[in-house]
Amino acid sequence: METKKKVAFYTLGCKLNFSETSTIARNFKDEGFDRVDFEDVADIYVINTCSVTDNADKQFKHVVRKALKLNEKAFVAAVGCYAQLKPEELAAVDGVDLVLGATEKFNITQYLNDLSKNDFGEVHSCEISEADFYVGSYSIGDRTRAFLKVQDGCDYKCTYCTIPLARGISRSDTIENVLQNAKEISQRNIKEIVLTGVNIGDYGKGEFGNKKHEHTFLELVQALDEVKGIERLRISSIEPNLLKNETIEFVSKSRTFVPHFHIPLQSGSNDILKAMKRRYMRELYTERVAKIREVMPHACIGVDVIVGFPGETDEHFLETYNFLNEMDISYLHVFTYSERDNTEAVDIPNPVAKNVRSKRSKMLRGLSVKKRRAFYESQLGTTRTVLFESDNKEGYIHGFTENYVKVKTPWNPELVNTLHEIELTTIDEDGSVRMNFVEKVAVV
């Protein structure tokens, strides 16, 4: 009997990439392959690449070397954003056999011939204008949480960003398909679904393969709230101009949507926001945060911010720092600006010196620690619901409350993937929060 070929996957980048890797992996399974861990010997290694991080090419080369160390004869394929933007570059990396762009990645099994190594990576990538159809996907990363893709691509023209070049125009899954995927996930006893996409607030656009759309993000959220068997729904990241007050109101009264928002700001200076071609000014951001605080005082609010954008003076940076310092937010994701080919920002004068970028990044990371600590302190003494995860970390099990406070308690395998009502008591030296059970019986 012929033994099954083994395939392993490595994902760089965002939650959306993770959901797409899972879909590609299921396609391999349907074709009769066995999936193994990336640390194991496999016949094929598939690397889902990312173009956002500064060291995308370095990371990629490192992962390729890791795969070939495990099996020097393995067939190595690169897919994803970096594969779309710089296919020739990836194909030239020693040991890479196949590079697939944005439209081809979901058909990877059709490009596999006899799996013999190529002298030079074979490239199949489309013009990005051809990436106009939608492929739905979801990932099941662990037993407690799944990432459900609802939208892909972006029509925004932010001057620093390559994502529209890597993923194409904004397009959405049909509402029926999203609900079907959500039902499938709930049947696997997964308690939490995180909605992902490139620009999920734009949901509905391209639902029918054109610009026509019937549904809005709010309608999607309302429909998902009705799906039986899902305990928690979390919105991953949503643009401030697309996070409408009606959505905030709905989440505050929702059965399943949790009080946690992640809203990219990118800069607290209107001058820089204009140079970035963002679609709002800081005043709108202030309004959104105020609205969330009004209806959900206990909500967790995360913020993306970019430091060192070309032309960002010390004054601009201090505007951002002070704006964030004064605002009632819970944590920051700080990105250091890095030059990207084929973006407008590359031609903006007065680039910021690398050492200044890194100093500013450090200052905002310090502010994030302070903000998270203050948010956690504000939650002590409150009663929340925690969903426990599956890892045993140094004798402790961790989990997140609905409003994204990380808690820990001594390891107990029976707690994995269960929800419990707890009281938050003290902050541990590692920054997570200790707790007491309010009830010993699981909520579900």
Side-chain angles (χ1 to χ4, degrees):
M1 197 177 94
E2 200 186 334
T3 55
K4 285 184 170 184
K5 294 279 188 205
K6 294 186 170 70
V7 60
F9 297 87
Y10 196 99
T11 305
L12 295 157
C14 64
K15 291 173 180 147
L16 182 56
N17 270 5
F18 278 92
S19 78
E20 292 184 341
T21 299
S22 282
T23 296
I24 294 166
R26 284 194 286 277
N27 295 345
F28 269 94
K29 214 171 159 193
D30 294 344
E31 296 286 337
F33 288 82
D34 265 346
R35 181 177 183 174
V36 297
D37 283 345
F38 201 83
E39 280 62 37
D40 296 339
V41 174
D43 301 292
I44 306 174
Y45 292 93
V46 179
I47 305 165
N48 194 351
T49 62
C50 171
S51 66
V52 174
T53 53
D54 198 11
N55 298 323
D57 53 340
K58 277 196 207 110
Q59 280 182 307
F60 177 73
K61 284 174 185 161
H62 170 72
V63 179
V64 171
R65 279 198 299 272
K66 199 168 148 185
L68 294 174
K69 209 177 262 183
L70 292 161
N71 177 7
E72 61 179 25
K73 293 190 172 72
F75 189 89
V76 177
V79 300
C81 291
Y82 204 68
Q84 174 65 35
L85 288 174
K86 300 277 178 88
E88 307 298 338
E89 225 170 84
L90 294 193
V93 171
D94 267 359
V96 173
D97 301 293
L98 179 66
V99 179
L100 297 181
T103 59
E104 291 80 13
K105 62 189 171 192
F106 294 106
N107 303 321
I108 180 170
T109 54
Q110 294 169 22
Y111 289 97
L112 304 174
N113 37 40
D114 58 358
L115 298 187
S116 54
K117 298 291 287 171
N118 293 325
D119 295 337
F120 193 82
E122 196 181 305
V123 173
H124 296 275
S125 77
C126 62
E127 286 302 316
I128 198 59
S129 57
E130 292 166 30
D132 58 358
F133 56 89
Y134 186 84
V135 178
S137 54
Y138 60 84
S139 84
I140 293 161
D142 52 34
R143 280 190 291 162
T144 53
R145 179 179 297 115
F147 300 118
L148 171 57
K149 173 181 163 184
V150 299
Q151 182 275 344
D152 200 348
C154 188
D155 292 340
Y156 287 9
K157 300 284 186 283
C158 301
T159 53
Y160 52 81
C161 186
T162 56
I163 287 174
L165 301 172
R167 283 187 168 270
I169 58 171
S170 178
R171 53 210 188 273
S172 310
D173 208 346
T174 62
I175 213 154
E176 295 72 24
N177 204 31
V178 174
L179 295 175
Q180 183 52 41
N181 284 341
K183 283 174 189 141
E184 282 175 28
I185 293 167
S186 72
Q187 283 156 10
R188 291 167 178 251
N189 193 29
I190 285 164
K191 304 283 194 282
E192 182 176 309
I193 293 178
V194 184
L195 302 186
T196 70
V198 173
N199 187 358
I200 63 173
D202 209 23
Y203 175 80
K205 193 184 278 182
E207 212 181 327
F208 303 98
N210 53 27
K211 291 295 175 196
K212 178 171 154 303
H213 61 96
E214 213 169 278
H215 300 102
T216 61
F217 183 67
L218 175 61
E219 287 168 332
L220 174 72
V221 164
Q222 289 166 332
L224 281 166
D225 201 43
E226 300 292 315
V227 177
K228 299 282 178 284
I230 300 169
E231 296 299 324
R232 282 184 176 181
L233 283 153
R234 203 178 286 279
I235 298 167
S236 61
S237 176
I238 183 164
E239 293 284 308
N241 50 307
L242 295 173
L243 176 57
K244 303 289 189 241
N245 284 345
E246 297 81 3
T247 305
I248 296 170
E249 293 272 3
F250 181 79
V251 168
S252 74
K253 301 183 183 78
S254 156
R255 180 182 70 84
T256 51
F257 277 89
V258 294
H260 175 205
F261 294 89
H262 193 93
I263 315 167
L265 168 69
Q266 310 311 18
S267 176
S269 157
N270 282 344
D271 290 346
I272 298 296
L273 288 173
K274 281 177 194 157
M276 290 175 164
K277 292 197 176 165
R278 299 292 285 159
R279 298 199 175 193
Y280 54 86
M281 292 290 107
R282 58 187 252 162
E283 291 72 17
L284 177 90
Y285 201 92
T286 309
E287 280 171 33
R288 290 294 179 265
V289 171
K291 178 67 185 173
I292 293 167
R293 287 281 167 246
E294 177 200 323
V295 293
M296 289 170 273
H298 60 295
C300 179
I301 302 174
V303 183
D304 284 344
V305 61
I306 295 171
V307 297
F309 187 80
E312 183 186 63
T313 61
D314 286 347
E315 289 73 24
H316 290 136
F317 173 70
L318 282 174
E319 251 188 287
T320 297
Y321 187 93
N322 294 332
F323 182 69
L324 289 165
N325 192 26
E326 285 156 26
M327 201 177 299
D328 190 358
I329 51 148
S330 317
Y331 65 88
L332 304 171
H333 280 173
V334 183
F335 299 90
T336 304
Y337 171 78
S338 62
E339 284 74 7
R340 286 280 172 272
D341 290 346
N342 303 317
T343 58
E344 276 185 60
V346 171
D347 300 321
I348 293 176
N350 306 318
V352 177
K354 291 271 168 59
N355 62 326
V356 175
R357 294 182 209 185
S358 111
K359 188 176 132 197
R360 289 176 185 172
S361 173
K362 214 169 176 178
M363 281 176 73
L364 283 182
R365 285 175 210 274
L367 180 62
S368 181
V369 170
K370 196 177 99 177
K371 286 287 183 185
R372 195 185 293 270
R373 176 90 191 188
F375 174 62
Y376 280 11
E377 281 174 359
S378 76
Q379 296 304 300
L380 296 180
T382 64
T383 300
R384 298 278 169 241
T385 304
V386 66
L387 172 58
F388 285 109
E389 304 199 333
S390 51
D391 294 342
N392 179 348
K393 289 181 184 157
E394 294 170 6
Y396 288 93
I397 188 169
H398 292 79
F400 284 94
T401 62
E402 65 275 33
N403 61 341
Y404 216 54
V405 174
K406 189 177 187 180
V407 304
K408 69 189 277 192
T409 198
W411 171 254
N412 172 355
E414 286 172 21
L415 293 176
V416 170
N417 198 31
T418 60
L419 288 142
H420 294 265
E421 210 178 317
I422 55 153
E423 185 193 358
L424 302 173
T425 55
T426 55
I427 300 178
D428 213 38
E429 60 251 25
D430 67 1
S432 52
V433 178
R434 295 284 192 151
M435 43 150 281
N436 291 325
F437 286 98
V438 171
E439 39 71 59
K440 282 292 176 193
V441 187
V443 176
V444 289

